[in-house]
Amino acid sequence: ARLLEIARRLSRGEAVRAGLGEEEEEEEEGCQRHREPLEVFCKEDAALLCAICRESRAHRAHTVLPVPEAVREYQEQIQARLQTLKDDRDKLLQFREAEMRRNW
């Protein structure tokens, strides 16, 4: 859900707030701690990071992606999962309809 909200905000050109706890209070201009722009997405923590946070011990060994690339990647995953759910729904509706016909 958090990634979807980030993707929505980025697609609208809005500033993005991410992270947990104190990090959720990020200001529109970027990282609250360093006042740097949020440039990368940490896959392990599912958080946006500035260049300084990215080099910290907490994230140094983590996999990070540029924000636009992370958005594309997660949008593709969401679309694939959404399609699977739609297909499952269609199968259930067909099954329901067949059962209703059988009962009649």
Side-chain angles (χ1 to χ4, degrees), residues 38-94:
L38 301 170
E39 300 171 343
V40 294
F41 179 78
C42 176
K43 290 181 83 170
E44 280 81 355
D45 294 330
L48 291 172
L49 305 173
C50 71
I52 298 170
C53 290
R54 193 279 175 255
E55 295 303 320
S56 70
R57 285 185 201 162
H59 301 282
R60 191 176 301 149
H62 292 176
T63 303
V64 296
L65 299 171
V67 172
E69 187 178 323
V71 168
R72 275 191 305 278
E73 182 179 312
Y74 284 101
Q75 280 179 332
E76 289 170 3
Q77 288 178 14
I78 290 168
Q79 290 299 323
R81 290 178 183 161
L82 179 61
Q83 187 59 47
T84 300
L85 290 172
K86 285 180 180 179
D87 293 344
D88 290 347
R89 182 194 64 197
D90 290 344
K91 288 177 187 175
L92 287 171
L93 289 173
Q94 288 173 356

